[in-house]
Amino acid sequence: MASSREKMVYVSTAEERIIHWMLAGSCLFALITGLGLMFHSWEIIPTMLGGYYATKWMHIFSGVVFAISLVAASIIWWEHCKFVPDDLKWVSQAGGYLWEAHDLPPCGMYNAGQKLFFWCVFAFGIIVVLSGIVMFNPLPFNVTLARWAYMLHVMGVLVIASFFVIHLYLGTVGNPGTVQIMFHGWATREYCEFHKGKWLADRESKGDASE
Amino acid sequence: MAEYIKLIDLTKCTGCRGCQVACKQWNELPAEKTGFTGSLQNPMDLSYSTWCLIRYDEFDEADGMKWIMRHDACMHCDWPACVKACPSPGALVKTDSGAVVHDPNYCIGCKACIVACPFDIPRYSEHEEKIAKCTLCYNRITDGKSPACVTACPTGTLEFGPKEDMLAKAHARAEAVGGSVYPNNPKYETHVIYVVPGDVKLAALQHVNPNPKMPTTILWWKNLFKPFTLIGMGGVAGMAALHYFIKGPHRVEKKEEGGEADG
Ligand code: SF4
Ligand code: SF4
């Protein structure tokens, strides 16, 4: 084991990375255009994008890309993100992020926080997409339902966007060695032992050794 | 500019549709092809090119059938739900006169105003990708004239004047005929008011919202969740920054025997 310590492990496949980028990119673009449409004082956003009418359509199209990526993402991450009993232990110690944790169980592909983020994006993403469909053409719907859609749309955005900021922090400067995975798919073996210990052990016991 | 009110005295309306025609003429709106549907009302609803409509409500009473004709158009709310919902600055503007003006040049056709309006007024055109509604003839009232519909009304049903005068008049008239003034929600005032005859139940009329108010979901959308998107993201970003400065990045531990301490 010690001999392979410095070696790299292939953590994320090309499909995974493409879907992740599509999801992140469309989500971010929809967020920016959405904020531009919601806050009149942020006129700079629609102005840079070619006006409010253009921004409306960009928001709709990024929403469509987001919806497609959401389906793809849930297919590739569903299994990895199922909760296991150990996750409770992880959560009860905040994953070691806030205070010294001495009893952290090794994680699978994702830790409980990442799983929580996935389920949050999944659940609220569905709310945002469905309410977005109603907002695209509210006329055939019951007016009370349509009004709820506008409210729920922004409520979903509030949850996803706030969680997304945490995700962004922990995926970049908060956890050195993480963001590379999103670009080329590789992480150091040390990194995997620390963050994905169970996943690495499983993989190696199956004879799928790191390269 | 002073605040104005359009007063509609339903006790006087004969359903001549002078207002409906005058509106079309002043705003250069095309006529619609319609068919007979069993009602004298024509067309059957407001539309992109019909901003003012006389609605004919029929009631069976002991002494025979009875008609109530109602002039239906934008109510020019004092705290307009449509303006609150509109994402495009300038498309819907509440003016000092009380008129809520729609400028098609800025309208992006998102239909949010249609959903928000408690009186179901704005109408959408698929072809233009915009909405349209009554502007209280803003281009006339800023010139010291009355709206076209008021000018055309031969019976005195429609009246236009300073807010206080019209309110006093409406209440006096309502008392005289034993009727009521609609709407009467002090939290959702409008610049169009009705005097309703006492024997007419508002809820029985077509297309009347007996209790108009700012829809709660619209209020929560714009006054609660909207600011909280920024508060939420900003708060979390601040917390992340604090975490970075206090705890530092979560570095991968060099694995020592038996221990996995935090970095
Ligand atoms: S009646 Fe509807 S369209 Fe007219 S000002 Fe009020 S909310 Fe806006
Ligand atoms: S349809 Fe036009 S006027 Fe109505 S909310 Fe959208 S942009 Fe504003």
Side-chain angles (χ1 to χ4, degrees), chain A residues 5 31 35 37-40 42 52-53 56-57 95-101 135-139 143 146-148 150-151 154-155 158 161-162 165-166 169 173-176 190-191 193-195, chain B residues 86-89 108-112 114-118 124 129 215 217-218 220-222 225-230 232-233 236-237 240 243-244 247-255 260-262:
Chain A
R5 178 147 297 176
L31 178 67
L35 290 177
L37 288 169
M38 194 162 63
F39 289 93
H40 286 185
W42 292 15
Y52 282 88
Y53 178 73
K56 172 184 99 167
W57 280 108
Y97 281 90
L98 301 181
W99 60 85
E100 295 290 309
M135 289 162 81
F136 175 68
N137 189 8
L139 304 187
V143 67
R147 285 173 187 164
W148 270 87
Y150 283 80
M151 191 187 78
V154 177
M155 189 205 71
L158 159 64
S162 303
V165 175
I166 307 179
Y169 167 66
V173 292
N175 278 303
E190 246 174 6
Y191 176 93
E193 266 175 22
F194 184 60
H195 286 291
Chain B
C86 180
S88 185
I108 61 173
C110 73
K111 314 182 194 91
I114 304 178
V115 171
C117 174
Y124 181 70
E129 258 192 280
T217 34
I218 301 294
W220 282 41
W221 165 31
K222 290 290 184 175
F225 292 117
K226 174 182 160 181
F228 265 97
T229 52
L230 294 189
M233 279 193 292
V236 169
H243 181 266
Y244 189 78
K247 292 283 298 181
H250 198 65
R251 286 192 199 286
V252 172
E253 278 292 298
K254 289 265 179 281
K255 203 163 184 182
E260 200 184 313
D262 183 53

Side-chain angles (χ1 to χ4, degrees), chain A residues 1-9 188-190 193 200 204 209-211, chain B residues 254-257:
Chain A
M1 238 172 76
S3 59
S4 58
R5 178 147 297 176
E6 290 314 308
K7 291 190 177 163
M8 302 289 280
V9 180
T188 63
R189 194 165 187 294
E190 246 174 6
E193 266 175 22
L200 190 67
E204 283 176 349
S210 51
E211 329 261 322
Chain B
K254 289 265 179 281
K255 203 163 184 182
E256 311 292 346
E257 264 327 292

Side-chain angles (χ1 to χ4, degrees), chain B residues 82 85-88 91-92 102 106-114 122 124 130-131:
Chain B
C82 60
C86 180
S88 185
L92 283 166
H102 176 251
Y106 295 108
C107 179
I108 61 173
C110 73
K111 314 182 194 91
C113 52
I114 304 178
Y124 181 70
K130 291 175 192 304
I131 66 107

Side-chain angles (χ1 to χ4, degrees), chain B residues 74-77 80-82 100 117-119 121-122 133 188:
Chain B
C74 175
M75 299 291 286
H76 299 280
C77 309
C82 60
V100 177
C117 174
F119 298 100
I121 294 298
K133 71 167 194 74
Y188 201 79

